Each structure stands twice: as structure tokens, then as C-alpha cells.
């Protein structure tokens, strides 16, 4: 591989590592309580969506796959499967839909799809996939349909907040990341 | 040290034995325990063991992992560096940068912002409940935005430079003479 290609590859690896580490820290350390719901907001999804908007589906997908999944490994290993799939797809889809997206509407559509993947993805895993796998492997028997319904609103709020922040970050960094 | 151990023991005892104690009380009072209740005990004990062992151990491993020594041994290798090692070097450098530069920077911002405890408008009698909530949400958003922007800017600052630097390292030849 030529030196210039190596530089390109290494820059991409550096960006993925930086955003994945930030998503990990944003999920595990920076937790800001939301008094209205009793839940908490974290910056993990913000970094997944922002990386996808700024650098495309490959970076977004890897960041979603690695960062939040690592934070689940510390304390919530049952959710590694759901997080890896949901956040990975979220990063890829936001990245694909916003490729060459110069118009605001295209960026917002991408973010809207990202929110939908987050909310619907976790709902499917918690309501159907985990109870099903849990019958064979008790390790995964941690949620049921009622718990999944209760999680819908906090996840939606988290998604909206993350999308707004990711949009603001995209506005700040879009000129200097190309 | 002693206070910490005492607190740890009290928390541990209450977590491990609370469920059993409640079940015992229910039996004494005459309330039957549901057969399903017993299946939750191993789950909660496992979660508790996980929290007191796996979580601190993983954090300690992350903090004490000898990233710098790894980096030094790869760079000083006389046989050259493979592409996989170059990728590993980049990952190590970015993680080190986040550990030593990004985290303290974010921490500093959080501490500084914490001192601003919304008192300026929470005591303002002219503002309605909705207006206060709106102001609080706006401030929360701006703080998060600030923290995230600093995190991205500081962590990506040297990535292009490191990429060029690492790519210049002599490549390890396959086979050899």
C-alpha cells in the first residue's frame, strides 16, 4: 500500500477511534439527569449521529458498533447485542442518507431516520428478540413487552435531543472535516 | 479506609440479603411467596457481583494498560512496522490523547459549568414556570453542545499529523533475505 493510501487509512482509523472513545465516554461518564422524566440524557448517540453526518456511513457504522457497545460491556452486558445492532445500523443509515447532503432537509431526514432506528430497534429487541432468546439462554431474559413500551418515550426523548445536538455539531464542524 | 470498608459491607449485606429477608418476613406474616420470585435471586446476585468486580476491574485495566510501552516497543523495532501495527499505533495514540487531554478538558468544563447553578433566573419571580423550564433546557443544550464540541476538537486535533508520521515508519518486509 502506498504512503498516501496509508495516510488516508490511518486518518480514518484515527477518526473512528476518536469518535468511538467519545461515544463510550459520553455514554458511561457524562450522564445528565432530565428532571421531567426521571431518566438521564447521555451524549453517546450524539457522537454516533455527528460522526455519520460528518464522515459518512463507514465511520458512523463503526462508531455506533464500537463506542456504545463497549460502554454496555461495563455493567450491562445483556444489552451488547441490541446496542451493537441498533447503533451500528443507526450510524450507517444516517451516514448513507446524508451523503453529499448539502440541504438542511436532507440532513434532518437522515437524523429522523436515526431516531426511528434507535426507538424502533430497541423496542423490537426488548419486546420480541430478548424474550425469545431468553427462553433458551436465561442471560438474555431481562426485558418483556411491558418494559419495552415503558422505554419508548425516554428513548424517543434521547433520540431527539441527540439529533438536535448532532445537527448543531455538524453545522460547527462541516467546513473543517472535508 | 475503614469507613469505606464499612460502607461497602453494609451495602453488600443489604443487597445480598434484602431479598431473602423480605421473603422471610412475607412468610412470617402469612403472605405466600410467588414461585416466580425465586428465579430472580441468581439474576440480582450476578448483577451485584458484576458491579463490584467486573466494572472496577475493567476500568482499572483501561487505566493501567501499558499503551505507552506498547507504542515505544513498536516504534523502536529494528525490523520495521507492519500495516496492522501502524493501525494499532494510531488507535493507541488517539486513546492516549483522549485519556490525558480530552477527559481533563471535559472535566474542567463540567466543573466550571456546575458552579453556574441556574440561580440567576430560578429566583426571578417575573419568570413563569414554563419560561424557567425553557431557559433551563436551552442552557442544558448549550452546555452539552459545548462539551461535545470540545471533545471532538481536542480528540481530532493531531490525527492528520499522526497519520503522516506513522505512515513514514519503515514498513516491515515479508519473508526477508
Amino acid at each position: 500500500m502506498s504512503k498516501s493510501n496509508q495516510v488516508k487509512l490511518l486518518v480514518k482509523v484515527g477518526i473512528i477511534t476518536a469518535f468511538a472513545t467519545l461515544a463510550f465516554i459520553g455514554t458511561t461518564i457524562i450522564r445528565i439527569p432530565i428532571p421531567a422524566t426521571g431518566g438521564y440524557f447521555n451524549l453517546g448517540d450524539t457522537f454516533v449521529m455527528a460522526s455519520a453526518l460528518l464522515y459518512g456511513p463507514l465511520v458512523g457504522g463503526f462508531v455506533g458498533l464500537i463506542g456504545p457497545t463497549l460502554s454496555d460491556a461495563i455493567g450491562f452486558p445483556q444489552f451488547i447485542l441490541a446496542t451493537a445492532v441498533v447503533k451500528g445500523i443507526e450510524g450507517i443509515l444516517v451516514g448513507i442518507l446524508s451523503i453529499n447532503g448539502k440541504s438542511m432537509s436532507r440532513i434532518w431526514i437522515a437524523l429522523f431516520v436515526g431516531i426511528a432506528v434507535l426507538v424502533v430497534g430497541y423496542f423490537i429487541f426488548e419486546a420480541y428478540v430478548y424474550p425469545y432468546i431468553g427462553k433458551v439462554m436465561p442471560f438474555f431474559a431481562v426485558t418483556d413487552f411491558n418494559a419495552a413500551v415503558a422505554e419508548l418515550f425516554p428513548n424517543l426523548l434521547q433520540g431527539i435531543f441527540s439529533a438536535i445536538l448532532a445537527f448543531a455539531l455538524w453545522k460547527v464542524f462541516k467546513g473543517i472535516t472535508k | 479506609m475503614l469507613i469505606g470498608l464499612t460502607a461497602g459491607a453494609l451495602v453488600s449485606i443489604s443487597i445480598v440479603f434484602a431479598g431473602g429477608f423480605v421473603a422471610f418476613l412475607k412468610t412470617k406474616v402469612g403472605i405466600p411467596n410467588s414461585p416466580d420470585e425465586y428465579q430472580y435471586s441468581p439474576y440480582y446476585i450476578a448483577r451485584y457481583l458484576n458491579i463490584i468486580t467486573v466494572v472496577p476491574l475493567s476500568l482499572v485495566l483501561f487505566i493501567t494498560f501499558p499503551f505507552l510501552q506498547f507504542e515505544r516497543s513498536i516504534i523502536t523495532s529494528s525490523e520495521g512496522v507492519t500495516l496492522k501495527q501502524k493501525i494499532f499505533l494510531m488507535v493507541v495514540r488517539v486513546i492516549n490523547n483522549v485519556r490525558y487531554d480530552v477527559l481533563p478538558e471535559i472535566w474542567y468544563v463540567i466543573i466550571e459549568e456546575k458552579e453556574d447553578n441556574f440561580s440567576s433566573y430560578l429566583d426571578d419571580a417575573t419568570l413563569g414556570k414554563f419560561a424557567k423550564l425553557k431557559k433551563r433546557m436551552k442552557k442544558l443544550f448549550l452546555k452539552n453542545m459545548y462539551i461535545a464540541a470540545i471533545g471532538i476538537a481536542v480528540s481530532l486535533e493531531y490525527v492528520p499529523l499522526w497519520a503522516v508520521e506513522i505512515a513514514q515508519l519503515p514498513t516491515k518486509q515479508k519473508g526477508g533475505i
Side-chain angles (χ1 to χ4, degrees), chain A residues 35-177:
Chain A
T37 62
Y40 70 86
F41 167 77
N42 70 64
L43 285 171
D45 277 301
T46 303
F47 289 116
V48 176
M49 290 181 185
S51 64
L53 289 180
L54 291 167
Y55 297 102
L58 185 77
V59 174
F62 271 113
V63 170
L65 189 74
I66 301 166
T69 309
L70 275 178
S71 75
D72 270 355
I74 301 177
F76 306 97
Q78 293 91 339
F79 288 98
I80 287 177
L81 179 68
T83 302
V85 174
V86 172
K87 304 271 167 110
I89 293 174
E90 178 190 323
I92 292 169
L93 281 183
V94 171
I96 288 173
L97 291 169
S98 64
I99 281 182
N100 302 324
K102 290 190 174 76
S103 66
M104 299 274 186
S105 56
R106 187 151 180 176
I107 297 296
W108 276 116
I109 289 169
L111 289 171
F112 178 77
V113 171
I115 298 170
V117 169
L118 176 74
V119 177
V120 178
Y122 270 107
F123 179 77
I124 291 171
F125 265 95
E126 289 176 3
Y128 302 107
V129 180
Y130 274 16
Y132 182 74
I133 306 175
K135 286 177 190 165
V136 196
M137 298 165 74
F139 178 73
F140 290 104
V142 285
T143 58
D144 54 22
F145 188 83
N146 292 336
V149 172
E151 281 287 308
L152 275 174
F153 182 67
N155 279 348
L156 181 67
L157 208 67
Q158 160 91 16
I160 292 170
F161 213 111
S162 299
I164 295 171
L165 268 179
F167 178 78
L169 288 170
W170 171 77
K171 289 272 279 180
V172 171
F173 288 101
K174 67 174 176 175
I176 52 173
T177 51

